[in-house]
Amino acid sequence: MDLVTLNDDVLRQIFSYFHGENALKLSLTCRRVHDLAIERVAAVILCQNGRDLRLAHRYMFFGARPRIQYLESLTVEEHVYEADKDVCEAILARLPPPEGCGADWNLIRLVLDLLMNAPRLRRVKLGLWRSIVEQDARVAYALFALPSLTTAYFENIDDRMV
């Protein structure tokens, strides 16, 4: 039996185990597989720094068919909000600490944009939850509005946040 002779539902179930580069390679095999597998390319995002978040945001919303509709898992580590340490250290060596050299809270709007536009998002992990909500409470409301959310992990949370 040839793989492409299976019906679309079975193929989608099989393809659900592919992510990122593997899904992309699979989608390049033929047109029918492409149409079913391409959505798996952008199903999982892991942001470990601000650059990752900016690139992921641009990738999700760029193009005629935005990929944000396929996002299923979003992880934003706490280090994402740290300002560029090399720049800060160079400035600190000569001057008193400049304002904003500890965290770049402008990146929260990118997280908010991803949350508000990802209807299939099932899993979210956010570092520095308390600080994020203190900076922009809309992030919490965006999470509550996600129709498919099944799992949420938060770091830096206390009793007042629950």
Side-chain angles (χ1 to χ4, degrees):
M1 175 184 271
D2 193 13
L3 181 68
V4 293
T5 61
L6 298 172
N7 70 35
D8 289 355
D9 293 331
V10 172
L11 288 175
R12 278 193 187 93
Q13 183 63 34
I14 293 169
F15 297 163
S16 71
Y17 294 97
F18 290 83
H19 300 287
E21 187 177 342
N22 291 329
L24 179 61
K25 289 177 182 177
L26 180 65
S27 71
L28 296 175
T29 57
C30 71
R31 183 173 301 275
R32 179 162 178 251
V33 171
H34 176 273
D35 292 342
L36 298 171
I38 193 66
E39 64 189 55
R40 305 301 308 159
V41 173
V44 176
I45 291 180
L46 168 62
C47 299
Q48 296 178 320
N49 56 51
R51 182 176 184 273
D52 289 349
L53 180 57
R54 286 187 289 275
L55 289 173
H57 183 272
R58 188 175 309 130
Y59 177 77
M60 284 290 153
F61 290 101
F62 181 81
R65 280 182 42 191
R67 296 168 185 94
I68 189 70
Q69 63 186 329
Y70 304 121
L71 183 62
E72 294 179 7
S73 177
L74 174 64
T75 300
V76 181
E77 301 288 347
E78 63 184 65
H79 305 296
V80 164
Y81 307 104
E82 292 178 1
D84 187 338
K85 288 184 178 184
D86 294 335
V87 173
C88 285
E89 287 174 7
I91 292 171
L92 290 174
R94 293 172 284 170
L95 302 169
E99 187 176 322
C101 201
D104 184 359
W105 296 118
N106 293 321
L107 294 173
I108 292 175
R109 68 180 175 78
L110 301 181
V111 174
L112 181 61
D113 205 15
L114 290 168
L115 292 173
M116 292 177 65
N117 291 287
R120 291 186 184 179
L121 197 57
R122 294 185 323 205
R123 182 187 173 281
V124 175
K125 180 180 177 188
L126 297 174
L128 298 179
W129 175 249
R130 179 179 176 192
S131 300
I132 291 170
V133 173
E134 287 173 352
Q135 295 294 320
D136 193 339
R138 295 178 298 169
V139 173
Y141 296 116
L143 275 173
F144 295 139
L146 289 170
S148 302
L149 187 65
T150 59
T151 309
Y153 298 98
F154 304 112
E155 296 173 0
N156 187 11
I157 190 168
D158 60 26
D159 292 339
R160 294 177 296 152
M161 302 299 293
V162 177

